[in-house]
Amino acid sequence: MKIICVMGARPNFVKVAALYRAFTKHPEFSVKLLHTGQHYDDVMYRVFLRQLSLPDPDFSLNIRGGSHTEQTANIMLGFEKILLNERPDMVFVVGDVNSSLACALVAVKEAVKVAHIEAGLRSGDKAMPEEINRILIDHISDELFVSEMSAVANLQSENIGADKIHFVGNVMIDSLIYCKGRAMELSVFERLGLKSNAYFVMTMHRPSNVDSSQALIELIGLIEAVSNLGAVVFPVHPRTKSSLIRHGFWDKVQRINGLILLAPQGYLEFFNLVANAILVITDSGGVQEETTFLDVPCVTFRANTERPATTEGGSNYLVGGVAAVDTAIGIIKKILNEEKKQTSLPPLWDGFASERIAEIVKKKYTK
Ligand code: UD1
Ligand code: UDP
């Protein structure tokens, strides 16, 4: 069975790496990798291939940035040629990025089967570009592989047939477990002059938090307030950095006392930083899940999450809306004062999600 796995943006490499490892163990599958070029800097792309044992992609579209429409349309045009040439039996798309929607659409229009990994997540917020992508991908896919139970309920409530829905666990956690030994051997925080359990890690890149001047003013208020409580390590996403520069805030941020600004970190380096942090502040989807697995308290600076397993059982606290900075600081202070909640791991976040996916596909499509 011939499969193409699509990778576009940073979290996709982490997910596809787990799938690639599982599928290549089975002789029934021939797997090819496609990189759309949505993320392209070495620190957003190459380092992930290297650290997650992925080979160079078989196909690269090199599409880079642009508006949502440009990006999606360019990927569609590029992928159509490859799909028509290769005629795979199934295209695998992961998560909710533009690359995933674009390639799923091309495949379905050419009557090629589509599998969606991390299906069914819903934030309920259609102002998020990812929410539109999630809904559309789920409704055109043939097989839906689900990472947490809330997603099964979401898909059922949208009348998607039960035969397509497979609750398999979380491929992001497969990669985390695969890399744990190597990540924990590094001394990233020590090299920054920090002690384990005595600093914060921050990541921010959602358009709602970083695109407008107003949002950046609020974000800077948050950074300043957290920096007053302890050192903050902040690997800055390219979207965030270019917005800070564009709005004239970059110099101000560089001067914040106690803030350690870094380039985007490699997967292992970032893992090491998070695992040793006292608390993480983020708006990332993947980081909410990774902190839940590592049982590191996480404050998610958003009004909603498509990953409720991380707030219900996991170590994640959701903070958004009016006076979000004050609320976030209040929660952080509480957590630092030993009011950390009891947590539990979501079911099937055990390192074998990709293997389950491979087995299901094999049984359904290769006999
Ligand atoms: C994208 C995804 C988002 C995901 C995030 C992961 C969509 C709609 N958004 O957001 O869901 O959470 O990736 O990080 O698919 N850039 C670089 N170098 C790079 C990559 C990006 O400089 O290697 C800059 C470019 O100026 C680009 C901008 O960042 O225009 C935004 O990149 P883009 O992929 O469009 O959106 P993200 O905000 O990264
Ligand atoms: N990540 C990383 N280096 C960083 C920041 C994040 O390796 O400097 C990893 C993180 O561990 C997770 C993934 O990138 O595996 C999440 O990507 P991102 O936050 O960009 O996207 P999202 O998950 O929000 O779509």
Side-chain angles (χ1 to χ4, degrees), residues 80 108 141 167 262 311 335:
E80 185 185 41
V108 81
S141 291
F167 176 47
L262 299 178
T311 52
I335 297 167

Side-chain angles (χ1 to χ4, degrees), residues 9-11 38-41 44 65-66 68 71 96-98 129-130 133 205-206 237-239:
R10 177 164 68 184
Q38 181 172 348
H39 285 179
Y40 46 87
D41 290 340
M44 298 295 286
H68 285 280
Q71 205 174 56
D96 50 23
V97 302
N98 286 344
E130 295 84 357
N133 293 346
H205 72 277
R206 298 253 94 85
H237 189 283
R239 170 185 284 277

Side-chain angles (χ1 to χ4, degrees), residues 111-155:
V112 172
K113 300 271 184 217
V114 177
H116 185 203
I117 311 300
E118 205 178 88
L121 297 180
R122 297 287 182 271
S123 67
D125 176 6
K126 285 194 179 156
M128 275 182 96
E130 295 84 357
E131 184 75 351
I132 308 295
N133 293 346
R134 292 179 194 121
I135 295 170
L136 295 176
I137 298 169
D138 285 340
H139 283 259
I140 58 175
S141 291
D142 297 280
E143 304 296 342
L144 299 168
F145 294 101
V146 170
S147 57
E148 65 166 79
M149 281 309 286
S150 71
V152 174
N154 293 335
L155 293 170

Side-chain angles (χ1 to χ4, degrees), residues 10-11 14 48 172 205-206 235 264-267 270 284-287 290:
R10 177 164 68 184
V14 182
F48 291 86
M172 200 84 174
H205 72 277
R206 298 253 94 85
Q265 293 294 288
Y267 182 71
F270 186 72
S284 158
V287 174
E290 291 166 345

Side-chain angles (χ1 to χ4, degrees), residues 235-252:
V236 188
H237 189 283
R239 170 185 284 277
T240 308
K241 183 165 181 184
S242 66
S243 186
L244 284 165
I245 293 169
R246 193 169 62 248
H247 290 284
F249 292 128
W250 184 240
D251 287 348
K252 181 180 165 78

